[in-house]
Amino acid sequence: MKSYMYFLCLCFVFFSCKNEEELKVYSKSKAIEATATQTNQFAIVIHGGAGTILKENMSKEDEAAYKLKLEEAIRVGYEILKNGGSSLDAVEQTIHVMENSPLFNAGKGAVFTNAGTNELDASIMDGKTLNAGASAGTRTVKNPISLARAVMEHSPHVMLAGYGADVFAKEQGLEIVDSMYFYTEDRMNSLKRVKRYEDEKKADNKTAFYDATIKDSKFGTVGCAALDKHGNLAAGTSTGGMTNKRWGRVGDAPIIGAGTYANNNTCAVSSTGWGEFFIRAMVAHDISALMDYKGFTLQEAAKEVIQKKVPELGGDGGIIAVDKNGNMVMEFNTEGMYRATMNDKGELTIGIYKDIEN
Ligand code: ASP
């Protein structure tokens, strides 16, 4: 009996050592896996809007102009990150370049409302503190992304809207412009086209609220997500919203969790697309939550939300995002999305259409 007990004890010791060995091997391979996914010490990814962007509808000159501006914008953020700057600065300064370009539906080049005004929305989020700032429906602030940041850093609030937000921007010393600054002929023509289209529909007793023609007259919301050398994530989004919007309509871009989200534990996300659906699907936060609660990778989470959840509701659009390991994702369910990435090796990718990588 004694020797039987002794034998049992020996077996127990042998097997527990073996399990421990296995555990060591397992955790070692896990550790290797973890370092292997830490592809970038810092990284930056941007979008300039998603929609029915088809190569056959784009002139060579326009295509070149978009690519050039995307590259100029992302290089600004890249330099900030390379020099040890913060992801917040990279996001803000990168978005400035796109806001200042008439190519995009943000800042100069914003789409027109039904009343012929420009009402701009923006938001920014700091993944380190989970602090956030947003502004909606402003009419005189040259760079709404800076207003969003000022709301985050210099007010006790998260979101300011309308006239008060313009007043706050002025008090903060941000650049204020005459509303004519935002005027571009292209966007005015889009408004006229959409209004004509709506009138035709009305004559047929049909409504045309945001059907395909109207949706596609608003390309160019801009956004940026970045990871800095200190491990901090940030994201920001800026837009003029949707052409012909009425009644003080606000889209997803200034809604934290829908248009923008950042959390150092998961990822930083900026959205673009049909805002009403992005609000209802809480797109940006949902991606982070799938990573947080379900252990999804960024790629898996983005696919789930953009290829399943949003289309099932009836919406379309895309997101750009970066995770805490520097993995970048650009996911969209439309024909195209203006987009670019840069990693810490300075490697640049630029894309416009769905199937053709350029
Ligand atoms: N999401 C924006 C909005 O609904 C528009 C866009 O991104 O194209 O206001």
Side-chain angles (χ1 to χ4, degrees):
M1 181 67 190
K2 225 178 180 182
S3 58
Y4 179 64
M5 286 297 286
Y6 183 67
F7 174 69
L8 270 182
C9 279
L10 264 180
C11 284
F12 177 72
V13 169
F14 171 75
F15 280 115
S16 38
C17 282
K18 191 161 183 282
N19 281 344
E20 211 170 79
E21 258 321 291
E22 268 173 16
L23 206 72
K24 263 188 216 150
V25 172
Y26 175 70
S27 53
K28 217 162 129 195
S29 71
K30 266 288 183 214
I32 290 167
E33 212 176 276
T35 37
T37 56
Q38 276 169 14
T39 44
N40 298 300
Q41 196 196 358
F42 68 93
I44 181 163
V45 53
I46 62 174
H47 71 75
T52 317
I53 309 167
L54 295 164
K55 196 168 175 71
E56 56 263 35
N57 296 341
M58 178 89 81
S59 72
K60 279 216 152 29
E61 295 73 34
D62 282 352
E63 189 180 298
Y66 274 107
K67 284 184 182 170
L68 214 66
K69 198 46 84 175
L70 287 168
E71 180 169 350
E72 182 191 333
I74 202 164
R75 284 196 184 281
V76 166
Y78 171 82
E79 283 303 319
I80 292 170
L81 297 172
K82 192 174 134 199
N83 293 326
S86 73
S87 49
L88 277 172
D89 285 343
V91 165
E92 183 183 7
Q93 295 307 320
T94 299
I95 288 181
H96 272 191
V97 176
M98 294 189 280
E99 283 180 335
N100 294 346
S101 161
L103 290 176
F104 301 100
N105 172 17
K108 174 127 192 109
V111 297
F112 284 94
T113 66
N114 179 267
T117 55
N118 306 97
E119 297 176 6
L120 284 67
D121 301 337
S123 65
I124 196 163
M125 185 156 182
D126 178 357
K128 182 180 172 192
T129 57
L130 301 187
N131 209 348
S135 61
T138 59
R139 296 180 183 206
T140 60
V141 183
K142 186 181 177 207
N143 293 109
I145 194 68
S146 292
L147 170 55
R149 187 164 180 185
V151 172
M152 174 171 83
E153 291 177 346
H154 306 299
S155 89
H157 308 299
V158 170
M159 189 178 206
L160 299 180
Y163 178 70
D166 281 293
V167 170
F168 175 77
K170 199 169 176 194
E171 283 174 15
Q172 287 296 309
L174 298 180
E175 195 169 346
I176 301 299
V177 289
D178 184 90
S179 57
M180 271 310 283
Y181 164 81
F182 299 109
Y183 181 95
T184 57
E185 213 172 305
D186 264 8
R187 298 298 188 188
M188 184 45 88
N189 288 339
S190 295
L191 176 66
K192 286 180 184 159
R193 199 173 54 240
V194 168
K195 280 188 163 183
R196 252 196 325 269
Y197 177 79
E198 227 181 39
D199 288 345
E200 283 164 19
K201 286 267 171 182
K202 255 188 223 147
D204 277 355
N205 270 336
K206 290 183 185 133
T207 56
F209 277 155
Y210 297 140
D211 73 4
T213 307
I214 294 182
K215 269 194 298 148
D216 285 340
S217 59
K218 53 109 185 91
F219 296 138
T221 291
V222 305
C224 178
L227 169 70
D228 65 29
K229 285 183 177 176
H230 317 286
N232 293 322
L233 288 164
T237 311
S238 181
T239 189
M242 291 181 112
T243 303
N244 199 33
K245 63 185 182 182
R246 295 176 169 90
W247 312 303
R249 181 263 185 189
V250 175
D252 60 315
I255 309 290
I256 297 301
T260 300
Y261 193 73
N263 183 335
N264 273 8
N265 291 328
T266 54
C267 61
V269 184
S270 168
S271 312
T272 175
W274 196 347
E276 278 67 14
F277 292 91
F278 277 63
I279 294 173
R280 290 167 57 205
M282 271 286 121
V283 165
H285 181 263
D286 226 44
I287 291 171
S288 166
L290 283 171
M291 295 175 73
D292 206 4
Y293 304 141
K294 282 203 155 186
F296 279 34
T297 64
L298 176 60
Q299 179 73 68
E300 289 165 348
K303 267 210 155 45
E304 180 72 22
V305 177
I306 295 301
Q307 306 300 353
K308 271 175 81 182
K309 190 173 180 183
V310 171
E312 273 167 21
L313 283 174
D316 61 5
I319 59 100
I320 51 101
V322 56
D323 72 14
K324 60 179 180 178
N325 297 317
N327 298 304
M328 291 176 278
V329 157
M330 299 175 287
E331 192 71 42
F332 53 101
N333 58 33
T334 48
E335 293 300 327
M337 181 168 81
Y338 298 107
R339 60 197 186 277
T341 64
M342 269 188 101
N343 62 18
D344 54 7
K345 289 159 213 79
E347 291 160 344
L348 169 75
T349 72
I350 300 183
I352 297 180
Y353 315 107
K354 186 158 67 184
D355 299 322
I356 315 152
E357 274 318 313
N358 13 59

